[in-house]
Amino acid sequence: MAVPRPEARTVLDAGEIRRALTRIAHEVLEHNKGPQDLVLLGIPTRGVALSQRLAQRLAEIEGADVPCGSLDVTMYRDDLSRHPVRNLGVIEVPDGGIDDRVVVLVDDVLFSGRT
């Protein structure tokens, strides 16, 4: 007799994700007192896409572009010794760099992460 598999559940649907991104964008803007000096760095892989969506939402709200890049944190994971050697990902620093900027790290981890 086959054991029934748990039904797959969606954590957030498209509308809920859009609302969550809007809330996060407003929190970032409020905390920073606007979009000036902001830079978003996504943690590969899905944090990069999320940071780009957040930057788009920030631009829609404020009418100002927020630069995006990526930061590979492979070497800073606490489980590095338990995994085989892997290549480092690309680090993309936005034009203008990150010196004297407010850097927001963006990741897609919902529950627990390794970084």
Side-chain angles (χ1 to χ4, degrees), residues 29-48:
L29 290 168
E30 181 180 325
H31 184 75
N32 195 58
K33 297 178 178 51
Q36 64 279 359
D37 298 325
L38 280 176
V39 173
L40 303 178
L41 294 181
I43 309 286
T45 56
R46 291 177 297 267
V48 174

Side-chain angles (χ1 to χ4, degrees), residues 3-78:
V3 176
R5 296 178 67 189
E7 185 177 319
R9 292 181 18 200
T10 300
V11 176
L12 297 172
D13 66 26
E16 292 168 326
I17 290 172
R18 190 171 38 260
R19 284 188 294 280
L21 281 172
T22 298
R23 282 195 307 274
I24 292 167
H26 281 287
E27 289 290 330
V28 168
L29 290 168
E30 181 180 325
H31 184 75
N32 195 58
K33 297 178 178 51
Q36 64 279 359
D37 298 325
L38 280 176
V39 173
L40 303 178
L41 294 181
I43 309 286
T45 56
R46 291 177 297 267
V48 174
L50 187 57
S51 70
Q52 292 165 346
R53 289 184 67 180
L54 182 57
Q56 180 182 15
R57 191 66 192 110
L58 289 164
E60 291 168 1
I61 293 168
E62 285 292 317
D65 288 334
V66 174
C68 275
S70 64
L71 177 65
D72 185 342
V73 296
T74 297
M75 297 306 296
Y76 303 99
R77 291 174 56 107
D78 67 359

Side-chain angles (χ1 to χ4, degrees), residues 11 107-114:
V11 176
D107 202 354
D108 70 324
V109 177
L110 295 175
F111 178 64
S112 65
R114 305 301 326 168

